[in-house]
């Protein structure tokens, strides 16, 4: 059995077990009484308010959850692994029913006006350890990175969401990352929705070089040719998601995301000689929403 067949069998087993768990959860939660109108807790009013932003006072809806992804071991890898993925977002209660794409960063919609939302966004990028994967031998470790920035989201019509994120890295990389996506959202039957659309990512040199560049010392230790990785178009892709809302609080979903690495990233010897520019992620997850109030 080759590596691909082994990975496919492992993914099938993971999907089967997770689907059974989500189905059991759905059966339990479908009988639970709705508490969407109730407020879980109340927070005191903030001591000050930020200029140019609406007051935070009022009701807010929080979405929290957990998922699992089978995705490349590292960006550019030709092998996959299974990882847990947290889900988190906050929006104004009573606004347009929340849609969350698989690639969305954790975010808070401080500005929520009808079909337009904006606010801070955060993403955690795990460290890359060279001793974990043979392909990275000699390339050294890359520390975990914390990307802080903001997002803008707009619905020109009810069935189309446009979203853009701009984040600045700290830690493992100190570059700038921009994500742009569009999702067509189509209800199939009551509570069951499918969505799909294109994705694009741009990264600066400081966000690209630590992962795909090869300096003189690394070239000697790894056997790869020396390579200066510059920023630019990082990837283009397409994603699709199917979600089922069990009740106003609980939702389960499954998705597939594909990325084609571009530019200096795709031309890196790590990708060309030891990996692949084709990156596919398959995931499952469940989320729970509740309201809280700020005086």
């Amino acid at each position: 059995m080759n590596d691909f067949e082994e990975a496919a069998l492992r993914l099938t087993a993971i999907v089967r077990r997770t689907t059974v768990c989500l189905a059991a959860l759905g059966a339990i939660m479908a009988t639970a009484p709705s508490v969407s109108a109730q407020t879980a807790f109340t927070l005191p009013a903030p001591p000050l308010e930020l200029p140019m932003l609406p007051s935070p006072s009022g009701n807010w809806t929080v979405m929290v959850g957990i998922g699992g992804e089978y995705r490349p071991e590292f960006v550019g890898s030709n092998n996959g692994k299974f990882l847990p993925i947290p889900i988190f977002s906050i929006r104004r209660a009573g606004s347009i029913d929340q849609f969350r794409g698989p690639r969305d960063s954790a975010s808070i919609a401080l500005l929520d006006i009808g079909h337009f939302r904006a606010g801070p966004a955060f993403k955690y990028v795990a460290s890359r350890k060279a001793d974990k994967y043979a392909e990275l031998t000699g390339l050294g470790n890359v520390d975990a990175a914390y990307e802080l920035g903001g997002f803008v989201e707009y619905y020109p019509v009810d069935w189309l969401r446009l979203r853009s994120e701009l984040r600045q890295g700290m830690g493992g990389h100190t570059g700038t990352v921009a994500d742009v996506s569009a999702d067509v959202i189509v209800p199939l039957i009551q509570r069951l929705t499918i969505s799909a659309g294109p994705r694009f990512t741009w990264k600066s040199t400081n966000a690209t070089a630590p992962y795909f560049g090869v300096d003189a010392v690394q070239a000697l230790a790894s056997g790869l040719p020396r390579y200066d990785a510059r920023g630019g178009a990082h990837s283009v892709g397409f994603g699709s998601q199917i979600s089922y809302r069990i009740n106003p609080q609980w939702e389960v979903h499954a998705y597939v995301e594909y990325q084609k690495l571009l530019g200096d990233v795709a031309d890196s010897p790590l990708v060309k000689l030891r990996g692949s520019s084709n990156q596919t992620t398959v995931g499952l997850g469940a989320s729970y929403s509740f309201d809280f109030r700020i005086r």
Side-chain angles (χ1 to χ4, degrees):
M1 181 181 296
N2 60 36
D3 292 341
F4 178 80
E5 291 173 336
E6 183 179 353
L9 288 175
R10 188 183 303 116
L11 176 59
T12 301
I14 291 170
V15 170
R16 185 184 298 113
R17 289 196 297 268
T18 308
T19 302
V20 170
C21 292
L22 291 179
L25 176 62
I28 294 171
M29 294 310 302
T31 62
S34 174
V35 294
S36 59
Q38 298 179 4
T39 301
F41 55 86
T42 300
L43 298 177
L48 55 86
E49 296 182 3
L50 298 176
M52 307 300 293
L53 289 177
S55 171
S57 297
N59 292 328
W60 294 81
T61 297
V62 180
M63 175 190 286
V64 293
I66 187 71
E69 288 185 344
Y70 186 81
R71 65 184 185 185
E73 293 175 334
F74 55 87
V75 179
S77 174
N78 198 29
N79 301 311
K81 64 179 179 180
F82 184 80
L83 287 175
I85 302 296
I87 298 170
F88 177 80
S89 65
I90 300 179
R91 64 182 174 92
R92 286 278 185 182
S95 60
I96 296 174
D97 193 23
Q98 190 167 12
F99 169 83
R100 184 185 185 279
R103 287 166 55 90
D104 294 358
S105 299
S107 59
I108 302 175
L110 293 181
L111 186 63
D112 193 336
I113 306 172
H115 287 73
F116 178 84
R117 295 187 186 123
F122 167 80
K123 177 169 284 188
Y124 171 77
V125 181
S127 61
R128 195 183 74 176
K129 302 296 185 181
D131 59 357
K132 283 190 174 183
Y133 312 107
E135 300 93 331
L136 300 177
T137 299
L139 295 179
N141 298 332
V142 182
D143 293 336
Y146 305 87
E147 297 177 354
L148 301 175
F151 81 96
V152 174
E153 189 175 279
Y154 178 61
Y155 288 78
V157 289
D158 291 342
W159 49 266
L160 176 63
R161 188 195 74 154
L162 308 176
R163 182 178 173 107
S164 178
E165 295 186 14
L166 184 64
R167 306 182 304 274
Q168 176 64 40
M170 298 181 292
H173 80 79
T174 57
T176 304
V177 179
D179 285 322
V180 180
S181 63
D183 287 277
V184 174
I185 307 164
V186 180
L188 297 179
I189 58 175
Q190 187 177 15
R191 299 183 179 180
L192 184 66
T193 301
I194 189 170
S195 59
R199 285 84 170 92
F200 174 78
T201 297
W202 177 94
K203 294 188 178 184
S204 68
T205 297
N206 285 344
T208 302
Y211 303 95
F212 300 99
V214 182
D215 61 27
V217 175
Q218 292 172 336
L220 185 63
S222 67
L224 293 173
R226 184 173 178 177
Y227 183 73
D228 293 323
R230 296 182 175 83
H234 175 84
S235 66
V236 64
F238 187 86
S240 180
Q241 177 175 239
I242 185 167
S243 60
Y244 180 72
R245 184 167 293 281
I246 300 167
N247 59 30
Q249 289 75 49
W250 285 98
E251 182 179 82
V252 293
H253 59 270
Y255 56 89
V256 176
E257 292 279 333
Y258 168 77
Q259 291 184 80
K260 177 69 174 179
L261 300 179
L262 304 172
D264 277 22
V265 174
D267 290 337
S268 169
L270 173 61
V271 177
K272 294 190 73 172
L273 302 179
R274 297 182 179 177
S276 172
S277 61
N278 298 300
Q279 306 282 280
T280 302
T281 297
V282 179
L284 294 165
S287 60
Y288 178 77
S289 299
F290 63 90
D291 288 356
F292 73 94
R293 179 176 177 78
I294 297 178
R295 289 195 181 95

